[in-house]
Amino acid sequence: MKREVLIFWLIAVLAVIVTQPGAIGVANWDAPYGFYKDLGAWMEAAFGVSVFVFLYGLLRREKIGIISLTLHALLLISIAVVGYQADMLALDEVNPNFSFFDFIVVSFLMASMALYLFLPSLPWVLTGKAYYSYDRPLVIAEVVLTAIAVTIYLLYRKSEEKEKRDLTAQDNPAPSESSSGQAEP
């Protein structure tokens, strides 16, 4: 896999990972509304940041490729559908007029708040105090996504080392043998 593709997917996964702590903090700011509100807030923030990752991918489409862009577009659609449905379940009684357009607008606001609150919420996340008991699936998702990000990073490092070895081999070709069977200096 090309290094540019690995970087793109690492950024895409990190965009989803980094938004969770701050989004959960925003969702539980005044009162715990339940799992769907936390999931919806996270997906709103993830969608807002992932749109910019997709735009980055469009700018580098020659190196990233149409397959990765198509897969990321499907990821964006999935995030939007899950997030909107979670918001509808959480906010149905509070705001029955919440529309998909509202989801899109709120996603960029939630993304900025989630990124802003990432560092302040990290100690709470690492100690487990940021989550309620019903948030266990979100914690599992965060751990799985972190494992995926680590795997992508390790693949990137491996491809980087392979590229360095290949460049070194091109710069220092093996000595050729002369007709007498001895290597030339």
Side-chain angles (χ1 to χ4, degrees), residues 45-155:
F47 181 82
V49 173
S50 294
V51 166
F52 292 105
V53 174
F54 185 74
L55 292 175
Y56 165 77
L58 283 177
L59 292 174
R60 304 196 42 99
R61 66 183 165 269
E62 296 85 24
K63 293 185 177 187
I64 291 170
I66 192 73
I67 294 172
S68 285
L69 284 175
T70 304
L71 290 173
H72 193 270
L74 292 173
L75 175 66
L76 266 175
I77 292 167
S78 300
I79 289 171
V81 168
V82 169
Y84 179 66
Q85 290 302 316
D87 278 345
M88 291 300 294
L89 289 170
L91 301 175
D92 189 37
E93 293 176 15
V94 179
N95 184 4
N97 297 325
F98 189 78
S99 68
F100 189 72
F101 178 76
D102 296 332
F103 174 84
I104 300 295
V105 171
V106 169
S107 70
F108 294 107
L109 297 172
M110 182 61 78
S112 65
M113 289 189 292
L115 293 174
Y116 177 73
L117 291 174
F118 173 70
L119 287 178
S121 62
L122 258 183
W124 297 99
V125 168
L126 296 175
T127 60
K129 295 179 180 178
Y131 300 101
Y132 289 96
S133 59
Y134 54 75
D135 284 332
R136 191 163 291 126
L138 300 181
V139 174
I140 293 169
E142 187 81 352
V143 169
V144 169
L145 287 171
T146 301
I148 291 170
V150 168
T151 303
I152 293 171
Y153 177 73
L154 292 175
L155 288 171

